[in-house]
Amino acid sequence: MPATPDLDTHTVRLASPDLLRSVFRRHAAGVAVITARGESGPVGFTATSLSSVSAEPPMLSFGIGTGASSWPAISGTDHVGVHILGEHQQELAATFARSGADRFGAPTAWREGPEGVPVLDDVLAWLVCRVVARVPAGDHRIVLAEVVLGDPAGPGRPLLYHQGRFNGLRD
């Protein structure tokens, strides 16, 4: 067994943000797009921080940076859309991840869904959720949301994010 350094938890300094980024590049994560209705139209962003939180009540969480262009809408909305992307949607994921992109212009296919939430077409699954909390977490907020309704029946396989790239599953 390799020796581990003896860590005195009272004197340990926090690691650099680069260490966290480097480690999480090695962590494969599912890709989602979060959407909301903003004051001047729909907003959305690509998220790899989506997590199931509770079955009773059905609840999930995701993180968003407070400097993100979607944050003003997410910070004030009552409902969000959560979309699980398929491996055929690498371009869509890249569009919603790119700063300054026209995320809801062609070729993005979407419609206004329940509670006015933008719902993306052709995804593996989508949910409309009611925001119940926004928890401060450094330069981000963790949004907790209860699932109101959705559709889990889209065809295909999930899109993953790993080593800074969007990928499909390999058999």
Side-chain angles (χ1 to χ4, degrees):
M1 184 152 124
T4 56
D6 188 20
L7 298 177
D8 177 355
T9 58
H10 298 290
T11 60
V12 173
R13 291 184 291 200
L14 291 178
S16 74
D18 290 338
L19 174 61
L20 182 68
R21 287 186 195 105
S22 295
V23 168
F24 272 87
R25 282 188 188 282
R26 308 220 31 159
H27 174 71
V31 181
V33 168
I34 310 298
T35 61
R37 181 177 52 198
E39 284 187 19
S40 57
V43 301
F45 64 98
T46 299
T48 57
S49 60
L50 183 66
S51 293
S52 172
V53 172
S54 169
E56 291 293 331
M59 188 178 293
L60 57 79
S61 70
F62 60 87
I64 180 172
T66 56
S69 62
S70 297
W71 172 242
I74 299 293
S75 72
T77 192
D78 291 331
H79 292 85
V80 295
V82 177
H83 307 82
I84 307 301
L85 300 191
E87 62 187 1
H88 62 286
Q89 296 178 303
Q90 291 185 22
E91 287 301 316
L92 183 66
T95 296
F96 276 84
R98 193 169 31 255
S99 181
D102 181 4
R103 295 173 177 156
F104 290 90
T108 301
W110 65 281
R111 66 192 180 283
E112 185 173 311
E115 304 294 340
V117 171
V119 174
L120 302 175
D121 292 343
D122 199 30
V123 294
L124 294 187
W126 61 267
L127 299 166
V128 170
C129 302
R130 184 178 66 83
V131 175
V132 297
R134 295 168 187 88
V135 180
D139 62 354
H140 278 60
R141 296 295 180 268
I142 305 302
V143 178
L144 295 169
E146 290 180 333
V147 176
V148 176
L149 56 92
D151 182 358
R157 294 163 48 110
L159 182 63
L160 300 178
Y161 187 72
H162 180 251
Q163 293 287 10
R165 294 187 8 228
F166 296 112
N167 298 283
L169 286 174
R170 292 190 198 126
D171 289 328

